Amino acid sequence: MMKVGKQTLIKKLKSNPTLDFIQKSIRFLSDRDYMKNAADYYRDPYNFFLRSLGNADRNKDKVVYYITQGGPYPGFCSMLMYLLLALEKMDIFHMYPVILWKDSLYGEIGEINGTSYAYEYYFNQPAGISVAEAENSANVLLSKPCDFSYRVGLNPYSLKEAEINQLAIQYKKYIMLKPEISQYLMNHINQIISGKRTLGVHIRGTDFNLGLHNHPVAVSPEEYVQMIEKRIKEYHYEQIFLATDDEAILEFMKKKLSHTIKVVYYHDVFRSKDGLPVHKSLDKRENHKYLLGLEILRDVYTLANCTGLLAGVSNVSICVRVINQTLGHRFEQTDIIDKGLCKSNLDLQTAFQKLPH
């Protein structure tokens, strides 16, 4: 058997970050300060570790905050909301954020709107620094999971007005629609609202009806109808704009309300017919993933431009409220139907495995 020298072994361990971390953790197991600092790095967003990336020849006079998001589960508004949380935490340090939606559900093969990065399909980089620049910068802070967390004890689905206002400050400062996307949204919003007093209604269907653990309890379509009819009389709305991810809910609401008030909605939206959330769908239309993001962004901005809002608790309705705060007008009336959070044994991964594919 070939013997491996001590120095050779140490060199091999250091060349593998995982093995190096394990051997150091074992070595310093009795050092409480070391173990605490190691743990705090991952759970404390203010425990900074700057590093150089690539050639390290860019942005030597700046600290670049490189925010990476993605994965198989987060929807568009979920990623947008958690992005605002990360930006809020780092805003006081005057860093230069660069945002990468990596392996997200909205990424296409090839370029969209002149870029291969999903975030940049819709938004400009807030600090004018490209992903390529960030990956060759001298002083980079990489985002960590704890950067995207809410404060301890805060229900992420039940934000108060003060918290919405704070997130709106970050949105207005950092989230910049691409000019062509902004124009597209405004054209559609003007067509659908047409200067009428409009009640914006958002109904989240699909997987929300499964009773996912720590997700909002679903509001039934019948409950929405009762509230809508009440608000129509009180606020003299001329029409409702309905946004939903569920085809069955759309048809139900049209049937129940069309005799009472004009119901407007976008016809060219992909909606679920089988209970599978739209951001997990695999339709064959060209640029389907990009269009899913564009459609939810259009729904959100249209809802934010309505006279009033009626919605359940979801990341979509939170985004709508945040964006509305950044506009030149505020909702005359806001109803968020909050029935609490589900407590069950059903998590996202298990639920998606059970849904039809």
Side-chain angles (χ1 to χ4, degrees), residues 77 164 202 309 311-322 336:
C77 286
I164 294 291
H202 175 253
L309 175 68
V313 179
S314 70
N315 283 312
V316 172
S317 62
I318 295 173
C319 273
V320 170
R321 292 163 65 197
V322 167
I336 303 298

Side-chain angles (χ1 to χ4, degrees), residues 16-34:
N16 185 310
T18 302
L19 293 177
D20 189 37
F21 178 76
I22 292 172
Q23 70 90 9
K24 284 180 178 176
S25 295
I26 294 172
R27 182 182 173 190
F28 295 108
L29 195 59
S30 61
D31 187 334
R32 296 184 66 179
D33 287 339
Y34 174 85

Side-chain angles (χ1 to χ4, degrees), residues 125-140:
Q125 289 290 351
I129 299 174
S130 68
V131 170
E133 276 189 85
E135 293 180 348
N136 286 281
S137 290
N139 308 295
V140 180

Side-chain angles (χ1 to χ4, degrees), residues 8 39 60 93 115-116 155 159 276-278 280-281 291 335:
T8 303
K60 294 182 179 180
F93 297 104
T115 180
S116 57
N155 178 353
L159 300 184
L276 186 71
V278 293
K280 297 289 288 184
S281 62
L291 290 174
D335 286 306

Side-chain angles (χ1 to χ4, degrees), residues 83-310:
L83 171 60
L84 292 178
L85 290 172
L87 290 169
E88 180 185 18
K89 288 188 177 75
M90 298 303 158
D91 185 55
I92 59 174
F93 297 104
H94 306 292
M95 298 181 188
Y96 293 77
V98 177
I99 300 150
L100 175 66
W101 283 0
K102 184 178 181 181
D103 302 324
S104 78
L105 298 170
Y106 302 93
E108 297 282 3
I109 297 173
E111 290 193 352
I112 299 288
N113 295 335
T115 180
S116 57
Y117 300 113
Y119 180 81
E120 295 176 8
Y121 297 169
Y122 318 98
F123 307 102
N124 285 328
Q125 289 290 351
I129 299 174
S130 68
V131 170
E133 276 189 85
E135 293 180 348
N136 286 281
S137 290
N139 308 295
V140 180
L141 176 66
L142 301 179
S143 63
K144 301 177 293 186
C146 61
D147 293 359
F148 307 104
S149 63
Y150 285 85
R151 294 187 295 280
V152 174
L154 181 65
N155 178 353
Y157 286 107
S158 297
L159 300 184
K160 305 301 181 186
E161 198 67 17
E163 288 140 359
I164 294 291
N165 291 343
Q166 189 59 39
L167 293 178
I169 291 171
Q170 307 309 317
Y171 195 98
K172 194 166 186 176
K173 183 174 181 178
Y174 291 112
I175 308 301
M176 304 173 182
L177 291 169
K178 298 187 87 161
E180 60 269 36
I181 296 295
S182 180
Q183 189 60 55
Y184 169 86
L185 296 178
M186 286 302 102
N187 289 343
H188 283 257
I189 291 167
N190 290 335
Q191 290 173 17
I192 205 89
I193 293 181
S194 301
K196 294 184 173 66
R197 289 183 57 79
T198 304
L199 174 61
V201 178
H202 175 253
I203 306 178
R204 179 76 158 80
T206 63
D207 56 315
F208 256 42
N209 294 318
L210 297 176
L212 298 172
H213 181 63
N214 275 341
H215 280 63
V217 174
V219 182
S220 71
E222 290 81 3
E223 290 175 281
Y224 276 104
V225 169
Q226 290 178 8
M227 186 67 80
I228 289 168
E229 290 177 339
K230 182 179 178 182
R231 291 297 182 242
I232 288 171
K233 294 176 182 177
E234 290 177 346
Y235 289 90
H236 309 291
Y237 290 115
E238 300 173 83
Q239 63 179 15
I240 70 167
F241 166 68
L242 178 60
T244 181
D245 57 350
D246 197 307
E247 188 71 27
I249 289 176
L250 173 65
E251 294 304 318
F252 176 88
M253 299 300 286
K254 285 165 56 181
K255 182 178 180 180
K256 288 290 184 179
L257 293 170
S258 293
H259 67 284
T260 303
I261 193 169
K262 183 179 180 181
V263 179
V264 296
Y265 56 94
Y266 290 116
H267 293 260
D268 58 343
V269 170
F270 180 88
R271 296 184 178 90
S272 176
K273 296 180 175 66
D274 55 13
L276 186 71
V278 293
H279 57 274
K280 297 289 288 184
S281 62
L282 299 171
D283 195 75
K284 294 181 180 179
R285 64 175 175 166
E286 186 178 4
N287 298 327
H288 174 63
K289 294 180 179 180
Y290 159 68
L291 290 174
L292 287 177
L294 186 62
E295 288 163 4
I296 186 60
L297 197 58
R298 182 177 60 175
D299 273 349
V300 165
Y301 268 84
T302 305
L303 288 164
N305 277 274
C306 287
T307 314
L309 175 68
L310 170 60

